[in-house]
Amino acid sequence: MQQLNDVILHPPFNITRASHVVLNVQDLEASKHFYTELIGLVISDENATTVWLRGLEERGHHSLVLRKSSSPSCARIGMRMQTDDDIMRAHDYFLQQGKSARLVDVPWQGLTLHVNDDIGVPLEFCATMEPCERMLKAYHHYHGASAQRLDHYQLQASDVEKAWRFYQPLGFKVSEYTWSELAGEGEHLWGVWLERKGNPHDIVFTNGTGPRLHHFAYTLPDTNDMIRACDVAGALGYAPMLERGPGRHGISGALFIYFRDPDGHRIELFNTHYQHIDPEPAIGWDLADPKRADQWGLPAQNKWFTEATVFEGTPPTAPSLNISPPTLERFLAMANDA
Ligand SMILES: [Fe+2]
């Protein structure tokens, strides 16, 4: 029986980390402006329909791909593997499971594998990517939030347990999780934080209409850059797109802000989380504990829990678990009643 604290020391192939996300956007110029001027990403290449961007410390060609489209969605989330041999082992592994696993050609990437996970999330694996100049010390190019590297994804899933059961056998460790007590039914898994690279998360699943991409996250070099991002947002007219924060999560301990891009895709900018390398028991949080999400400050708005990006070609379904998390609207209603 699969347990949350199981550590798979020898997975069938070696996934190393969250790597790159491919977004469909309606106005390529508007999105390019948002991600370069506010977020501070660097353009690696572009043509009439696609822009490839990377963070300032990233050596790989891209961590964000923007594709012009008539409707916004997420095409794929990408993960890196150690070697091309791992890609081939994964190809065989997924075919043996009866999945539609395909080796595909993708610009700027080496051998690339497309497959959907068990809840329908379109994944893209590669082991190599065209190398670019690391801009870490090119301080004269720092502007906006000065985003450094893509760190993780958070997804909504209609069946969080099913998602966890897919990723854990692939070597993902659970760093933290959220549970909720249902009357007469005991504890239910509401959210799970899974990692491969030795920090709290590469991919997170929380209960909700899914699968949908809730957010993707970039690290910032310093807390001051977070405040600078807010100031730049104000100066560039992006202030209404600052959705949450600054704040401090209980889970992961990250200091965070969240923006919505011109298509409503949600991006987190954060720093200050911890190492998770040793096989340690996962930390559990009660969904009703407000400090799991915010160590201080106000809870997230209701739209935080209801709005997310659909995956191209994967219609989301409502969750079987009907649990409402604490929201700002509920908090204010209770404050008014008091
Ligand atoms: Fe996050």
Side-chain angles (χ1 to χ4, degrees):
M1 185 70 174
Q2 199 172 326
Q3 303 292 324
L4 278 175
N5 286 326
D6 287 349
V7 176
I8 308 303
L9 293 175
H10 303 291
F13 43 87
N14 190 2
I15 300 171
T16 55
R17 64 180 179 88
S19 166
H20 58 284
V21 58
V22 184
L23 296 180
N24 293 321
V25 302
Q26 297 171 100
D27 185 334
L28 203 52
E29 284 303 314
S31 296
K32 191 169 81 171
H33 188 266
F34 175 89
Y35 284 106
T36 55
E37 301 310 308
L38 175 61
I39 307 301
L41 298 182
V42 177
I43 295 175
S44 296
D45 275 285
E46 60 183 314
N47 60 30
T49 59
T50 309
V51 184
W52 291 265
L53 303 114
R54 69 186 192 278
L56 288 158
E57 76 168 60
E58 291 179 313
R59 187 93 163 90
H61 181 271
H62 51 267
S63 54
L64 174 63
V65 183
L66 304 173
R67 302 193 320 195
K68 186 169 174 50
S69 174
S70 57
S71 62
S73 64
C74 176
R76 290 195 176 265
I77 57 171
M79 295 192 187
R80 292 292 280 267
M81 289 207 198
Q82 189 99 62
T83 66
D84 282 353
D85 284 346
D86 290 299
I87 298 282
M88 294 310 298
R89 278 199 292 276
H91 181 244
D92 294 345
Y93 174 91
F94 290 126
L95 286 180
Q96 283 171 11
Q97 289 189 341
K99 287 187 164 51
S100 174
R102 295 179 299 122
L103 296 170
V104 295
D105 289 325
V106 176
W108 313 107
Q109 295 175 196
L111 192 63
T112 298
L113 174 66
H114 282 179
V115 69
N116 285 13
D117 72 11
D118 278 352
I119 63 166
V121 177
L123 301 173
E124 175 168 292
F125 296 104
C126 68
T128 60
M129 200 179 268
E130 182 78 15
C132 290
E133 181 186 357
R134 198 187 300 281
M135 306 289 277
L136 184 65
K137 291 169 282 185
Y139 296 109
H140 53 301
H141 289 298
Y142 279 45
H143 63 284
S146 306
Q148 300 282 289
R149 62 172 173 78
L150 186 138
D151 182 80
H152 64 267
Y153 313 111
Q154 183 163 323
L155 281 67
Q156 287 195 324
S158 57
D159 187 339
V160 170
E161 186 168 322
K162 189 174 184 179
W164 159 63
R165 290 190 185 283
F166 173 85
Y167 284 92
Q168 194 177 42
L170 306 184
F172 285 80
K173 282 189 293 188
V174 179
S175 60
E176 309 201 32
Y177 64 97
T178 303
W179 55 270
S180 185
E181 182 88 33
L182 280 184
E185 296 184 34
E187 292 179 5
H188 284 260
L189 188 65
W190 187 87
V192 65
W193 278 248
L194 294 149
E195 64 86 6
R196 278 297 292 164
K197 67 179 173 301
N199 69 15
H201 38 19
D202 285 288
I203 190 164
V204 176
F205 294 93
T206 59
N207 184 70
T209 298
R212 292 186 299 169
L213 178 65
H214 185 270
H215 68 261
F216 57 102
Y218 276 83
T219 61
L220 300 188
D222 195 276
T223 302
N224 293 336
D225 296 291
M226 207 168 295
I227 304 304
R228 177 169 169 75
C230 295
D231 279 337
V232 172
L236 293 180
Y238 289 128
M241 290 138 97
L242 174 60
E243 184 179 45
R244 185 178 177 191
R248 171 81 69 187
H249 285 314
I251 297 174
S252 86
L255 193 67
F256 64 83
I257 51 174
Y258 294 86
F259 284 102
R260 305 292 289 272
D261 82 359
D263 286 276
H265 304 308
R266 187 181 286 110
I267 179 171
E268 177 184 16
L269 304 171
F270 80 102
N271 61 12
T272 64
H273 61 178
Y274 60 87
Q275 286 189 340
H276 187 260
I277 296 172
D278 304 324
E280 301 156 346
I283 299 167
W285 296 78
D286 184 344
L287 181 65
D289 179 358
K291 295 189 79 171
R292 97 198 183 288
D294 300 281
Q295 290 285 292
W296 36 262
L298 296 168
Q301 302 168 67
N302 187 57
K303 68 178 182 178
W304 171 266
F305 300 99
T306 59
E307 296 181 5
T309 295
V310 296
F311 286 102
E312 185 179 7
T314 307
T317 57
S320 53
L321 206 55
N322 189 18
I323 302 173
S324 301
T327 63
L328 177 64
E329 288 82 352
R330 212 195 305 171
F331 173 85
L332 294 175
M334 288 168 62
N336 287 333
D337 289 344

